Amino acid sequence: MQDLDLRRGRVREIVKKRPPYAELLPFLLGVIEAREKAALEFDPGEPAPADERFRLKMQGGLPALDPVSLPLDPEALRRFLEPILSLLEKRKPDEIKAVRGALADGRMDPAALVRKALSGAAMEERGKLENGLDSGVAAFLARHAAAGLLGRHAQQYEPILASISWEHGYCPVCGGTPHMAELRGPEGKRFLACGACGYCWNFPRVTCPFCGNTDQKRLGYFQAEEEKEYRVDYCTACRKYIKTVDLRERETPVDLEIEAAATLHLDMLVQPRGYDPPIARTVMP
């Protein structure tokens, strides 16, 4: 969890440079802060002991958690959703009124909704669900609830995983796909950030995290002339890309969820070239 003042200052900095993000980023910041505070409702329990069995499991390429099997408390999920619903209510009052009604009368099961997000199932973001609710709002709520839950587990596993080698392009905590990367330190070591739980892990720079390609001739990157702190790394073998923040160009850390939303203009530059994003994430319903 990043320092609130640093994160808020970063949002102000970005908006000053790029005014088109003046609506999106403060809204997303509010959702992230509400999500992190509300996530304290979730009791992640004790992490698995870092014994020989656990290490062998991870050496075999299995992440620490199986998200689909995590226990879900419907009442804790309802309490978690309330502050996020309050934020969305200003933007979509009719839809949020309908969600609250569905939660009250049982037409919306928060546990089933979040379980779907944890399973990685595609969630329709346009139109209506069978219960008449807005599918975009439901998908947004499910993803942020899943992120809050998984983020609590990631915090627990961080000290344990620090001593375990992990060489895969998917998250060692939950198996999620990385949605952003950052370069750290004088050597520019690359760290991938999970799009599901937010955990960051070290990964070789000259390797595609999505297909494992190590042929430098099929790996490349580009960056906008006026934005030296950002780059887009792409792979011509699998036609995927990942946006990267070069922290060697900055004196303070950043929140990669904010940075992902603040670089949507880079997505619009790279996708017409035939490259696909690593994961579809909703930042605003």
Side-chain angles (χ1 to χ4, degrees):
M1 184 183 298
Q2 193 184 33
D3 180 88
L4 294 181
D5 290 335
L6 280 178
R7 188 157 49 192
R8 292 169 183 172
R10 177 59 175 161
V11 167
R12 289 193 296 269
E13 177 187 346
I14 295 171
V15 168
K16 184 177 180 180
K17 290 180 180 178
R18 298 191 287 279
Y21 290 103
E23 180 184 5
L24 170 62
L25 295 189
F27 169 75
L28 177 60
L29 177 62
V31 171
I32 292 172
E33 291 182 357
R35 184 186 75 204
E36 290 180 346
K37 184 177 181 180
L40 298 177
E41 289 285 349
F42 300 138
D43 177 11
E46 291 296 322
D51 54 19
E52 185 63 21
R53 181 179 178 182
F54 180 82
R55 291 178 177 274
L56 287 173
K57 168 187 171 180
M58 299 208 72
Q59 287 173 11
L62 295 176
L65 295 177
D66 175 10
V68 178
S69 67
L70 291 178
L72 298 178
D73 180 347
E75 290 307 314
L77 287 172
R78 285 188 176 88
R79 293 192 296 270
F80 171 89
L81 290 175
E82 182 51 42
I84 297 179
L85 288 172
S86 295
L87 283 172
L88 293 178
E89 197 166 25
K90 301 173 184 177
R91 307 176 63 89
K92 291 179 171 283
D94 293 339
E95 289 85 347
I96 299 309
K97 181 180 179 180
V99 168
R100 285 201 169 103
L103 286 170
D105 65 22
R107 284 181 296 117
M108 174 180 274
D109 178 356
L113 189 70
V114 175
R115 185 75 68 195
K116 186 174 182 179
L118 290 172
S119 72
M123 303 187 74
E124 179 60 48
E125 297 186 7
R126 293 289 183 273
K128 299 289 183 181
L129 300 178
E130 291 181 1
N131 56 16
L133 299 177
D134 183 281
S135 57
V137 170
F140 185 85
L141 293 173
R143 285 180 180 147
H144 279 284
L149 177 64
L150 292 174
R152 291 276 282 150
H153 286 281
Q155 291 169 10
Q156 280 199 320
Y157 276 101
E158 189 167 359
I160 296 173
L161 297 181
S163 63
I164 295 177
S165 176
W166 185 262
E167 300 177 351
H168 306 285
Y170 50 90
C171 177
V173 174
C174 69
T177 304
H179 75 115
M180 285 284 286
E182 60 185 25
L183 302 179
R184 302 178 187 172
E187 297 178 356
K189 289 185 177 180
R190 178 162 71 160
F191 286 78
L192 304 178
C194 178
C197 73
Y199 183 80
C200 291
W201 70 100
N202 186 218
F203 191 77
R205 283 182 64 170
V206 192
T207 302
C208 172
F210 309 112
C211 71
N213 171 39
T214 58
D215 182 355
Q216 294 188 45
K217 295 180 180 179
R218 306 202 70 180
L219 296 169
Y221 75 92
F222 75 84
Q223 58 189 155
E225 186 64 31
E226 67 280 5
E227 294 182 329
K228 294 296 186 182
E229 62 186 327
Y230 298 122
R231 55 187 274 171
V232 177
D233 292 280
Y234 59 85
C235 174
T236 62
C238 66
R239 308 298 295 182
K240 283 191 170 62
Y241 72 90
I242 189 166
K243 295 182 293 185
T244 300
V245 182
D246 191 342
L247 293 183
R248 296 173 299 177
E249 299 289 331
R250 296 191 53 79
E251 296 181 356
T252 56
V254 295
D255 183 309
L256 291 180
E257 190 170 358
I258 293 291
E259 301 300 318
T263 50
L264 294 177
H265 55 289
L266 296 181
D267 295 282
M268 290 188 284
L269 287 176
V270 68
Q271 289 179 18
R273 303 183 185 192
Y275 293 96
D276 295 321
I279 187 171
R281 305 196 75 223
T282 297
V283 294
M284 183 182 295

